[in-house]
Amino acid sequence: MDMELIPAPVSVGDEGRRGFLMDRATTITAQTGTETTERWLRTTLGAAFGLPLAPGVEGGDNTVRLLIDPALEPEGYRLSTGTGRSIEITGGSPAGVFWGAQTLRQLLGPKAFRRAPAAGGGRAAVAATDIEDRPRFAWRGLMLDVSRHFLPKDDVLRYLDLLAAHKLNVFHFHLTDDQGWRVEIKRFPKLTEVGSWRSRTKYGHRASELWDETPYGGHYTQDDIREIVAYAAERHIRVVPEIDIPGHSQAAISAYPELGNTDVVDTAALSVWDTWGVSPNVLAPTDNTLRFYEGVFEELLDLFPAATSPFIHIGGDECLKDQWKQSPAAQARIKELGLADEDELQSWFIRHFDGWLTERGRRLIGWDEILEGGLPDGAAVSSWRGYAGGVAAAEAGHDVVMCPEQQVYLDHRQHGGPDEPMPIGYVRTLEDVYRFEPVPPGLSEEAARHILGTQANVWTEVMQNRSRVDYQVFPRLAAFAEVAWSALPAPADRDFADFERRMTGHYARLDALGVEYRPPGGPLPWQKRPGILGRPIEGVPPNV
């Protein structure tokens, strides 16, 4: 039976069942604990079809019944039609009920993804069905870099809706980098007054000779952040905020020059970085720097409560050690702490904040470079440089999120043709992403249990706005979502032809949502960027 569902459910049957017709008389009967889904159904499906979806009575007919059965897996659900002309969604937890509601929306057809009813709206049918479903991984994420190019609050809220529509449940929010600081910190106002603006921006890859001379910037107020976090929580999405230390910190140093290595460079002369790559300007290993970032994290923990944000990401990647090697103060610190070298100095930074966060009931997660120089027991790793960092971390007993750049960096180009806009990295087609396997073969059973899941990463150096982000992210995020959710066979045995066929129905949903995806036939004329230098890498990416 074909329902064109993405991601694919565990099983679909229809034996002895009747269909369901949603009309003006349809109600919602919600068991205690399912209120988030009840509200979501009323606002989305109610708007799409122009229906009131009023509260129903227990045992009534023509209702959408929302139930919780703790015997199911927490994020698992069962969706079935036919009892009293109703439809029943039973989840193992409130989140499971919500994912079941996402499936219901897909079953109701592309019109269910509109914001207002078309003429003749007001009713929609679901064929007889009985769906059993549960996710393969608990961590199914998307990382969005809003530092290189800023996405306004409404665009972030829209991306949370797009994650939810694909049953993705983690939003990794990359808030700071060399090119911009994007979150208001009240005790350090210059972080946004100075650190959120750059005077101009490199256009294309860093080797491009082109510049956009328009001053560029933006940030989220603390109230914006609270709204984003609440919106995510309503959709059962965890938010992982990232404040990058000790590298990728030039925006912070430009705002507060004392944070940098003042004995090596004139940090007061630094501005927010206007080009791409890895800046040599890194944080100084001083007590003042530690206290400053403790202050930042104190405000951050208040904005990102533990229930929604158990993990705090501290970056830790691509920290160039040149300034520390030249800095008498940094060398004195290495000696004073009895450390072997600059790698251990970075580890000292990470360990400090691991202890600080642990005391406050949070868990530290960082990019795989934090393994260098040793890692505290409770810390988790985002494995980006390939599988190797994740394998090493998992074998050492650390939890891991697999996000290897060779496979699931969605800033990498989708096709080898000349029309791809500002082509970056390896060619990663829709099929390549569909055949991505988060758990590498050869991992011990014990280590495999430490793979929390997987996420796709979206770095925005060459994505100036929402439509450009859409082009890079979709349709590949749909393939990634199926990898993260569904119990697929080994990569070579996956039925990509069937996935492609189901995508035909899914493109219509994305159209209704206004997603400016890359069409299967290649970019539309306004999606191309002829003559803008990228950084394409030829050949098949290495499996490292």
Side-chain angles (χ1 to χ4, degrees), residues 456-507:
N457 293 343
V458 183
W459 300 101
T460 58
E461 286 92 340
V462 297
M463 300 181 216
Q464 304 87 348
N465 51 42
R466 184 181 98 176
S467 66
R468 188 71 181 81
V469 173
D470 276 6
Y471 179 90
Q472 289 300 129
V473 171
F474 289 97
R476 292 182 295 182
L477 194 70
F480 175 80
E482 184 146 310
V483 167
W485 177 278
S486 306
L488 298 176
D493 301 330
R494 292 179 189 171
D495 190 346
F496 179 69
D498 177 68
F499 174 78
E500 220 171 11
R501 187 185 51 71
R502 285 180 284 125
M503 275 304 293
T504 308
H506 200 64
Y507 284 121

Side-chain angles (χ1 to χ4, degrees), residues 161-237:
D161 279 331
L162 292 171
L163 291 187
H166 293 83
K167 299 188 175 73
L168 297 171
N169 68 345
V170 175
F171 177 58
H172 176 166
F173 206 6
H174 183 82
L175 288 163
T176 72
D177 218 298
D178 299 307
Q179 294 86 358
W181 184 286
R182 303 287 175 225
V183 55
E184 177 189 24
I185 303 295
K186 290 195 187 292
R187 73 187 78 180
F188 302 125
K190 284 197 229 162
L191 283 172
T192 46
E193 286 168 10
V194 174
S196 72
W197 293 93
R198 53 184 185 249
S199 58
R200 62 175 190 167
T201 300
K202 176 64 74 177
Y203 194 53
H205 180 249
R206 63 179 176 271
S208 159
E209 292 177 2
L210 302 175
W211 294 89
D212 180 342
E213 297 290 347
T214 316
Y216 186 90
H219 74 273
Y220 308 103
T221 65
Q222 295 204 347
D223 209 43
D224 291 339
I225 294 287
R226 287 190 182 95
E227 183 181 354
I228 287 166
V229 169
Y231 199 83
E234 282 274 304
R235 284 148 187 78
H236 301 276
I237 293 171

Side-chain angles (χ1 to χ4, degrees), residues 228-252:
I228 287 166
V229 169
Y231 199 83
E234 282 274 304
R235 284 148 187 78
H236 301 276
I237 293 171
R238 291 190 307 190
V239 183
V240 180
E242 180 181 354
I243 301 291
D244 221 327
I245 56 173
H248 285 291
S249 298
Q250 185 165 325

Side-chain angles (χ1 to χ4, degrees), residues 260-271:
N261 295 285
T262 53
D263 55 350
V264 179
V265 287
D266 177 10
T267 55
L270 292 176
S271 57

Side-chain angles (χ1 to χ4, degrees), residues 215-529:
Y216 186 90
H219 74 273
Y220 308 103
T221 65
Q222 295 204 347
D223 209 43
D224 291 339
I225 294 287
R226 287 190 182 95
E227 183 181 354
I228 287 166
V229 169
Y231 199 83
E234 282 274 304
R235 284 148 187 78
H236 301 276
I237 293 171
R238 291 190 307 190
V239 183
V240 180
E242 180 181 354
I243 301 291
D244 221 327
I245 56 173
H248 285 291
S249 298
Q250 185 165 325
I253 296 166
S254 74
Y256 292 93
E258 66 273 18
L259 295 172
N261 295 285
T262 53
D263 55 350
V264 179
V265 287
D266 177 10
T267 55
L270 292 176
S271 57
V272 175
W273 215 23
D274 56 12
T275 188
W276 317 124
V278 182
S279 166
N281 295 298
V282 303
L283 298 175
T286 63
D287 289 341
N288 173 62
T289 301
L290 297 183
R291 298 295 87 77
F292 183 95
Y293 276 86
E294 284 170 4
V296 168
F297 282 119
E298 259 172 40
E299 291 193 29
L300 208 74
L301 296 193
D302 186 47
L303 297 174
F304 294 90
T308 319
S309 302
F311 286 90
I312 304 294
H313 207 294
I314 50 75
D317 62 316
E318 296 181 324
C319 178
L320 298 180
K321 312 293 193 307
D322 302 358
Q323 290 183 357
W324 289 351
K325 286 175 181 164
Q326 295 161 23
S327 160
Q331 291 304 311
R333 194 92 219 218
I334 288 173
K335 200 170 170 189
E336 172 205 332
L337 295 166
L339 303 175
D341 54 19
E342 291 77 17
D343 279 349
E344 285 196 9
L345 186 60
Q346 172 164 340
S347 179
W348 167 80
F349 253 108
I350 305 303
R351 284 173 185 276
H352 176 84
F353 285 102
D354 179 76
W356 191 92
L357 288 166
T358 302
E359 277 172 19
R360 288 155 183 78
R362 306 299 179 96
R363 287 187 66 189
L364 177 144
I365 185 167
W367 302 112
D368 53 57
E369 285 97 328
I370 67 171
L371 289 163
E372 295 162 9
L375 190 58
D377 288 347
V381 167
S382 306
S383 188
W384 77 272
R385 290 182 293 179
Y387 288 108
V391 169
E395 295 286 5
H398 295 288
D399 287 340
V400 173
V401 177
M402 280 294 185
C403 49
E405 65 167 331
Q406 301 85 355
Q407 316 295 331
V408 287
Y409 267 33
L410 299 184
D411 38 310
H412 283 213
R413 60 202 170 126
Q414 303 174 71
H415 191 276
D419 291 332
E420 293 307 304
M422 299 188 204
I424 299 292
Y426 295 101
V427 173
R428 294 284 85 196
T429 64
L430 186 64
E431 181 170 0
D432 290 329
V433 174
Y434 191 66
R435 296 194 191 279
F436 164 61
E437 174 48 51
V439 181
L443 210 55
S444 71
E445 207 175 307
E446 174 63 27
R449 282 199 283 274
H450 283 290
I451 307 290
L452 297 177
T454 182
Q455 73 183 30
N457 293 343
V458 183
W459 300 101
T460 58
E461 286 92 340
V462 297
M463 300 181 216
Q464 304 87 348
N465 51 42
R466 184 181 98 176
S467 66
R468 188 71 181 81
V469 173
D470 276 6
Y471 179 90
Q472 289 300 129
V473 171
F474 289 97
R476 292 182 295 182
L477 194 70
F480 175 80
E482 184 146 310
V483 167
W485 177 278
S486 306
L488 298 176
D493 301 330
R494 292 179 189 171
D495 190 346
F496 179 69
D498 177 68
F499 174 78
E500 220 171 11
R501 187 185 51 71
R502 285 180 284 125
M503 275 304 293
T504 308
H506 200 64
Y507 284 121
R509 296 175 194 134
L510 296 178
D511 286 333
L513 287 166
V515 175
E516 297 178 64
Y517 56 83
R518 181 189 189 275
L524 299 165
W526 56 88
Q527 292 175 320
K528 302 173 186 177
R529 297 282 185 284

